[in-house]
Amino acid sequence: MVDLSRKIKAPVAVTGINFDAFDANFEALLGSANRVATKPANEAFPNADTVVFVGNNYPFAEVTNLFENVKNFIQIDINPANLGKRNHNDVTILGDAGDAIRELTKLVKEKPETGWWRANLANIKNWNDYVYKLETKTEGDLQLYQVYHQINTHAEDDAIFSIDVGDVTQTSVRHLHLNPKQMWRTSNLFATMGIGIPGALTAKLDFPDRQVWNLAGDGGFNMVMQDLATEVQYKLPIINIVFSNNQFGFIKDEQEETNSGYIGVEFMGVDFAKIAQGMGAKGYTLTSIDDAKSVFDAALADIAKGETVLIDAKISGDRPIPVEALILDEKIHDQAAITAYRERYEAESLVPLTDYLKAEGIEPEYKAVDLGGF
Ligand SMILES: Cc1ncc(C[n+]2csc(CCOP(=O)(O)OP(=O)(O)O)c2C)c(N)n1
């Protein structure tokens, strides 16, 4: 797929669940669209004239009308029931996705570099720089981003990540920088909170020699934390990270968009490190950026001794940037709204794709990215 992308100069978007199939450093990786998503993917679709839809189910595409502006739709799928399910197909290929992509890559001629390719690559780089800037901040309150920085720098080359449901799902597709040897799993279609611990337990039982992480919000962790004792009982050295913000962040953000106030989305803090200790695991509380590296170093040393570990990261309540409702483009939004958006999400450096397209002489589609909260 990477070879085909480079040959035809078409960037690659993934569904969230599939982002571990690619190296995070692949220069044309847009990420995923909608809400568990990245900015470059959400901006690319309204401007894309052709989509090759490969081995995909992708129900969210229908709900948000993601392919509204797409003129040519090519689908490759081995399951006939999936063909034409999400969009009208102009070309349909029934077959194994890998085989079809390999054959197509041989058949197509190398295309010279295009403005579309350059604009998307620049947009991806701009987004990656933004993400990295947040992760490597050294001042201010501890945010989830700096916790991911420690996870990335402490993760082994073939680590497995079990991800709970909430902001942690959205932020993992943005801030876990994976390679295809690593693996992430979550509850994708049903989005069942509490999946983090059981996923990590089974991962460690199935792959005892690989490093296993459970990443969960405090809401999701509260639902299943008793099974930390199961990790200890079966001597499973799993690194459990709890992103504690005393709120159902993912739902609170939805309520910000749709309600005139908040209801039922805030709850009291819990000392998860003490609970971990009470269950025989090693427990750490992380409260500052300064301490992040040493806490992770200590946790990884425990893991090396075969201990089960929990790090309770007391993060700020900052909302991660809503890329499903971007407010960056002067042709679409007023300046005051753009300034407020940039300030709130520390997004001064973010450039809309439309700017990169204009610079390449391509007339962009000025359509607000508003994917309705999905
Ligand atoms: C079992 C279950 N109950 C409710 C939901 C709806 N839901 C999705 S995300 C979410 C909030 C997650 O909160 P938390 O784990 O604290 O993570 P945060 O979003 O704050 O990072 C809720 C209630 C769900 N997906 N699964």
Side-chain angles (χ1 to χ4, degrees):
M1 184 62 104
V2 171
D3 291 344
L4 181 64
S5 158
R6 288 181 177 142
K7 213 167 170 188
I8 63 173
K9 307 296 182 285
V12 175
V14 287
T15 53
I17 54 171
N18 193 35
F19 89 103
D20 55 356
F22 291 88
D23 199 307
N25 294 322
F26 170 38
E27 74 281 7
L29 188 62
L30 294 162
S32 49
N34 296 314
R35 191 173 170 206
V36 176
T38 55
K39 170 181 172 287
N42 277 346
E43 291 176 306
F45 282 101
N47 284 284
D49 57 9
T50 302
V51 165
V52 186
F53 193 63
V54 186
N56 245 317
N57 182 15
Y58 206 22
F60 285 135
E62 233 176 290
V63 187
T64 57
N65 218 1
L66 189 69
F67 303 129
E68 203 179 5
N69 290 0
V70 175
K71 296 177 193 68
N72 312 297
F73 205 81
I74 304 163
Q75 186 176 10
I76 306 171
D77 208 296
I78 201 164
N79 180 358
N82 284 345
L83 298 174
K85 192 172 170 188
R86 302 296 172 207
N87 204 67
H88 164 79
N89 287 353
D90 299 293
V91 176
T92 303
I93 299 173
L94 176 62
D96 176 78
D99 289 345
I101 293 294
R102 274 184 291 277
E103 288 308 311
L104 283 173
T105 309
K106 277 190 238 157
L107 287 172
V108 293
K109 285 207 192 76
E110 170 111 33
K111 199 172 173 182
E113 206 172 83
T114 60
W116 168 250
W117 174 252
R118 277 193 299 269
N120 277 285
L121 260 52
N123 198 36
I124 291 165
K125 179 168 185 322
N126 176 253
W127 167 255
N128 289 343
D129 289 347
Y130 165 74
V131 162
Y132 187 69
K133 189 195 72 184
L134 292 176
E135 291 164 8
T136 54
K137 272 173 68 176
T138 54
E139 280 170 11
D141 293 339
L142 180 71
Q143 299 168 301
L144 64 95
Y145 317 117
Q146 298 92 45
V147 180
Y148 275 101
H149 184 56
Q150 294 305 325
I151 297 169
N152 285 317
T153 50
H154 286 81
E156 284 179 3
D157 217 29
D158 62 349
I160 301 175
F161 298 91
S162 173
I163 311 291
D164 218 287
V165 171
D167 275 349
V168 71
T169 332
Q170 179 191 70
T171 52
S172 289
V173 303
R174 298 177 187 172
H175 297 284
L176 271 186
H177 306 308
L178 301 185
N179 70 59
K181 278 188 278 169
Q182 294 168 325
M183 194 196 311
W184 93 302
R185 291 294 182 267
T186 187
S187 168
N188 40 60
L189 193 56
F190 294 111
T192 315
M193 285 167 74
I195 189 76
I197 287 190
L201 274 167
T202 48
K204 195 67 197 172
L205 289 169
D206 280 352
F207 300 96
D209 298 330
R210 290 173 68 172
Q211 188 191 51
V212 173
W213 300 72
N214 159 37
L215 312 186
D218 44 0
F221 194 75
N222 270 327
M223 291 178 171
V224 291
M225 61 178 155
Q226 62 276 14
D227 273 325
L228 204 55
T230 313
E231 294 181 12
V232 175
Q233 180 174 334
Y234 290 95
K235 300 193 176 15
L236 300 174
I238 293 167
I239 312 149
N240 298 274
I241 310 289
V242 188
F243 291 92
S244 287
N245 56 8
N246 302 357
Q247 59 188 17
F248 294 122
F250 198 75
I251 303 302
K252 194 175 180 188
D253 301 342
E254 257 168 21
Q255 291 187 1
E256 183 181 344
E257 301 297 330
T258 57
N259 297 14
S260 52
Y262 296 118
I263 180 163
V265 286
E266 285 159 8
F267 48 83
M268 63 172 253
V270 169
D271 188 340
F272 291 113
K274 256 194 196 152
I275 287 177
Q277 286 155 11
M279 291 185 183
K282 293 279 178 181
Y284 297 89
T285 307
L286 176 61
T287 55
S288 72
I289 299 177
D290 277 350
D291 293 340
K293 184 177 180 310
S294 57
V295 165
F296 271 76
D297 285 348
L300 270 287
D302 294 334
I303 288 290
K305 285 185 248 154
E307 309 262 14
T308 300
V309 177
L310 175 140
I311 299 175
D312 180 9
K314 304 290 190 193
I315 56 165
S316 70
D318 295 332
R319 179 178 177 179
I321 188 167
V323 298
E324 71 280 12
L326 290 166
I327 304 180
L328 294 169
D329 198 319
E330 286 168 11
K331 285 257 197 214
I332 305 171
H333 298 104
D334 70 59
Q335 195 52 56
I338 296 173
T339 305
Y341 187 89
R342 286 190 183 283
E343 247 172 57
R344 177 167 178 192
Y345 302 113
E346 304 173 65
E348 289 78 10
S349 62
L350 278 186
V351 178
L353 173 65
T354 48
D355 283 7
Y356 289 117
L357 291 173
K358 264 184 294 178
E360 292 289 348
I362 299 170
E363 184 52 28
E365 190 65 44
Y366 288 107
K367 179 174 179 277
V369 173
D370 186 358
L371 295 167
F374 284 93

mmCIF file of all heavy atoms in Angstrom, residues 165-168 191-193 217-220 223 245 247-251 267, ligand 1:
data_model
loop_
_atom_site.group_PDB
_atom_site.id
_atom_site.type_symbol
_atom_site.label_atom_id
_atom_site.label_comp_id
_atom_site.label_asym_id
_atom_site.label_seq_id
_atom_site.Cartn_x
_atom_site.Cartn_y
_atom_site.Cartn_z
ATOM 1 N N VAL A 165 -12.038 2.920 26.135
ATOM 2 C CA VAL A 165 -12.880 3.764 25.279
ATOM 3 C C VAL A 165 -13.114 5.118 25.941
ATOM 4 O O VAL A 165 -13.433 5.190 27.125
ATOM 5 C CB VAL A 165 -14.221 3.052 24.991
ATOM 6 C CG1 VAL A 165 -15.205 3.978 24.298
ATOM 7 C CG2 VAL A 165 -13.961 1.822 24.136
ATOM 8 N N GLY A 166 -12.946 6.162 25.173
ATOM 9 C CA GLY A 166 -13.089 7.526 25.685
ATOM 10 C C GLY A 166 -12.116 8.409 24.938
ATOM 11 O O GLY A 166 -11.680 8.062 23.829
ATOM 12 N N ASP A 167 -11.733 9.519 25.543
ATOM 13 C CA ASP A 167 -10.702 10.346 24.908
ATOM 14 C C ASP A 167 -9.458 9.521 24.600
ATOM 15 O O ASP A 167 -8.739 9.778 23.637
ATOM 16 C CB ASP A 167 -10.312 11.506 25.835
ATOM 17 C CG ASP A 167 -11.249 12.691 25.677
ATOM 18 O OD1 ASP A 167 -12.052 12.688 24.725
ATOM 19 O OD2 ASP A 167 -11.183 13.611 26.512
ATOM 20 N N VAL A 168 -9.207 8.511 25.446
ATOM 21 C CA VAL A 168 -7.997 7.707 25.283
ATOM 22 C C VAL A 168 -7.978 6.982 23.922
ATOM 23 O O VAL A 168 -6.907 6.730 23.363
ATOM 24 C CB VAL A 168 -7.850 6.720 26.476
ATOM 25 C CG1 VAL A 168 -8.887 5.607 26.408
ATOM 26 C CG2 VAL A 168 -6.462 6.155 26.576
ATOM 27 N N ALA A 191 -17.525 0.045 21.030
ATOM 28 C CA ALA A 191 -16.959 1.078 21.908
ATOM 29 C C ALA A 191 -17.323 0.830 23.370
ATOM 30 O O ALA A 191 -17.870 1.689 24.052
ATOM 31 C CB ALA A 191 -17.421 2.471 21.460
ATOM 32 N N THR A 192 -16.991 -0.346 23.846
ATOM 33 C CA THR A 192 -17.349 -0.732 25.212
ATOM 34 C C THR A 192 -16.282 -0.296 26.206
ATOM 35 O O THR A 192 -15.169 -0.819 26.204
ATOM 36 C CB THR A 192 -17.502 -2.272 25.306
ATOM 37 O OG1 THR A 192 -18.267 -2.712 24.191
ATOM 38 C CG2 THR A 192 -18.168 -2.679 26.582
ATOM 39 N N MET A 193 -16.634 0.666 27.053
ATOM 40 C CA MET A 193 -15.703 1.061 28.109
ATOM 41 C C MET A 193 -15.376 -0.150 28.986
ATOM 42 O O MET A 193 -16.197 -1.044 29.147
ATOM 43 C CB MET A 193 -16.314 2.159 28.989
ATOM 44 C CG MET A 193 -16.349 3.512 28.351
ATOM 45 S SD MET A 193 -17.419 4.617 29.291
ATOM 46 C CE MET A 193 -16.401 4.943 30.741
ATOM 47 N N GLY A 217 -8.976 5.710 30.522
ATOM 48 C CA GLY A 217 -9.433 6.892 31.257
ATOM 49 C C GLY A 217 -9.873 6.461 32.642
ATOM 50 O O GLY A 217 -10.058 5.263 32.906
ATOM 51 N N ASP A 218 -10.046 7.420 33.558
ATOM 52 C CA ASP A 218 -10.443 7.016 34.913
ATOM 53 C C ASP A 218 -11.876 6.468 34.939
ATOM 54 O O ASP A 218 -12.186 5.575 35.734
ATOM 55 C CB ASP A 218 -10.239 8.120 35.964
ATOM 56 C CG ASP A 218 -10.704 9.498 35.525
ATOM 57 O OD1 ASP A 218 -11.194 9.655 34.390
ATOM 58 O OD2 ASP A 218 -10.566 10.445 36.330
ATOM 59 N N GLY A 219 -12.753 6.950 34.048
ATOM 60 C CA GLY A 219 -14.118 6.421 33.983
ATOM 61 C C GLY A 219 -14.116 4.957 33.575
ATOM 62 O O GLY A 219 -14.730 4.107 34.230
ATOM 63 N N GLY A 220 -13.400 4.651 32.521
ATOM 64 C CA GLY A 220 -13.320 3.265 32.038
ATOM 65 C C GLY A 220 -12.620 2.369 33.057
ATOM 66 O O GLY A 220 -13.047 1.228 33.301
ATOM 67 N N MET A 223 -14.622 1.084 36.002
ATOM 68 C CA MET A 223 -15.595 0.015 35.731
ATOM 69 C C MET A 223 -15.012 -1.384 35.923
ATOM 70 O O MET A 223 -15.752 -2.329 36.132
ATOM 71 C CB MET A 223 -16.105 0.121 34.278
ATOM 72 C CG MET A 223 -16.963 1.328 34.018
ATOM 73 S SD MET A 223 -17.445 1.342 32.269
ATOM 74 C CE MET A 223 -18.639 2.681 32.284
ATOM 75 N N ASN A 245 -8.761 12.413 34.937
ATOM 76 C CA ASN A 245 -9.191 13.816 34.809
ATOM 77 C C ASN A 245 -10.535 14.067 35.485
ATOM 78 O O ASN A 245 -11.166 15.101 35.294
ATOM 79 C CB ASN A 245 -9.232 14.258 33.334
ATOM 80 C CG ASN A 245 -10.119 13.343 32.490
ATOM 81 O OD1 ASN A 245 -10.814 12.472 33.030
ATOM 82 N ND2 ASN A 245 -10.101 13.537 31.188
ATOM 83 N N GLN A 247 -13.408 13.057 34.964
ATOM 84 C CA GLN A 247 -14.556 13.321 34.081
ATOM 85 C C GLN A 247 -14.639 12.284 32.963
ATOM 86 O O GLN A 247 -13.635 11.677 32.594
ATOM 87 C CB GLN A 247 -14.457 14.729 33.475
ATOM 88 C CG GLN A 247 -13.198 14.956 32.659
ATOM 89 C CD GLN A 247 -13.018 16.414 32.232
ATOM 90 O OE1 GLN A 247 -13.637 17.314 32.777
ATOM 91 N NE2 GLN A 247 -12.166 16.644 31.256
ATOM 92 N N PHE A 248 -15.867 12.128 32.451
ATOM 93 C CA PHE A 248 -16.058 11.363 31.218
ATOM 94 C C PHE A 248 -15.780 12.341 30.078
ATOM 95 O O PHE A 248 -16.710 12.905 29.486
ATOM 96 C CB PHE A 248 -17.501 10.843 31.119
ATOM 97 C CG PHE A 248 -17.883 9.818 32.161
ATOM 98 C CD1 PHE A 248 -18.959 10.034 33.022
ATOM 99 C CD2 PHE A 248 -17.188 8.617 32.256
ATOM 100 C CE1 PHE A 248 -19.322 9.078 33.962
ATOM 101 C CE2 PHE A 248 -17.555 7.654 33.205
ATOM 102 C CZ PHE A 248 -18.615 7.890 34.064
ATOM 103 N N GLY A 249 -14.480 12.545 29.786
ATOM 104 C CA GLY A 249 -14.095 13.621 28.878
ATOM 105 C C GLY A 249 -14.769 13.531 27.508
ATOM 106 O O GLY A 249 -15.253 14.518 26.967
ATOM 107 N N PHE A 250 -14.814 12.341 26.969
ATOM 108 C CA PHE A 250 -15.334 12.160 25.608
ATOM 109 C C PHE A 250 -16.807 12.587 25.528
ATOM 110 O O PHE A 250 -17.244 13.154 24.523
ATOM 111 C CB PHE A 250 -15.198 10.674 25.225
ATOM 112 C CG PHE A 250 -15.283 10.400 23.753
ATOM 113 C CD1 PHE A 250 -14.229 10.706 22.907
ATOM 114 C CD2 PHE A 250 -16.412 9.817 23.204
ATOM 115 C CE1 PHE A 250 -14.296 10.442 21.542
ATOM 116 C CE2 PHE A 250 -16.489 9.547 21.841
ATOM 117 C CZ PHE A 250 -15.431 9.857 21.009
ATOM 118 N N ILE A 251 -17.543 12.323 26.614
ATOM 119 C CA ILE A 251 -18.974 12.659 26.633
ATOM 120 C C ILE A 251 -19.155 14.132 26.994
ATOM 121 O O ILE A 251 -20.019 14.826 26.456
ATOM 122 C CB ILE A 251 -19.717 11.747 27.636
ATOM 123 C CG1 ILE A 251 -19.506 10.278 27.275
ATOM 124 C CG2 ILE A 251 -21.201 12.092 27.691
ATOM 125 C CD1 ILE A 251 -19.956 9.865 25.895
ATOM 126 N N PHE A 267 -16.898 13.345 38.100
ATOM 127 C CA PHE A 267 -16.938 12.460 39.268
ATOM 128 C C PHE A 267 -15.694 12.662 40.112
ATOM 129 O O PHE A 267 -14.726 13.283 39.672
ATOM 130 C CB PHE A 267 -17.097 10.992 38.839
ATOM 131 C CG PHE A 267 -16.158 10.553 37.741
ATOM 132 C CD1 PHE A 267 -14.863 10.153 38.027
ATOM 133 C CD2 PHE A 267 -16.569 10.549 36.406
ATOM 134 C CE1 PHE A 267 -13.998 9.751 37.022
ATOM 135 C CE2 PHE A 267 -15.714 10.143 35.396
ATOM 136 C CZ PHE A 267 -14.421 9.756 35.707
HETATM 137 C C1 LIG B 1 -19.855 0.532 28.877
HETATM 138 C C2 LIG B 1 -19.970 1.914 28.277
HETATM 139 N N1 LIG B 1 -20.699 2.851 28.924
HETATM 140 C C3 LIG B 1 -20.789 4.108 28.393
HETATM 141 C C4 LIG B 1 -20.178 4.416 27.211
HETATM 142 C C5 LIG B 1 -20.298 5.832 26.618
HETATM 143 N N2 LIG B 1 -19.004 6.511 26.754
HETATM 144 C C6 LIG B 1 -18.110 6.573 25.749
HETATM 145 S S1 LIG B 1 -16.723 7.367 26.174
HETATM 146 C C7 LIG B 1 -17.282 7.664 27.725
HETATM 147 C C8 LIG B 1 -16.457 8.423 28.714
HETATM 148 C C9 LIG B 1 -15.100 7.860 28.967
HETATM 149 O O1 LIG B 1 -14.600 8.458 30.124
HETATM 150 P P1 LIG B 1 -13.175 8.155 30.716
HETATM 151 O O2 LIG B 1 -12.917 6.685 30.747
HETATM 152 O O3 LIG B 1 -13.029 8.865 32.009
HETATM 153 O O4 LIG B 1 -12.204 8.753 29.646
HETATM 154 P P2 LIG B 1 -12.005 10.261 29.113
HETATM 155 O O5 LIG B 1 -12.934 10.400 27.933
HETATM 156 O O6 LIG B 1 -12.281 11.213 30.219
HETATM 157 O O7 LIG B 1 -10.584 10.258 28.709
HETATM 158 C C10 LIG B 1 -18.578 7.147 27.900
HETATM 159 C C11 LIG B 1 -19.384 7.256 29.144
HETATM 160 C C12 LIG B 1 -19.442 3.402 26.576
HETATM 161 N N3 LIG B 1 -18.807 3.631 25.413
HETATM 162 N N4 LIG B 1 -19.335 2.173 27.122
#
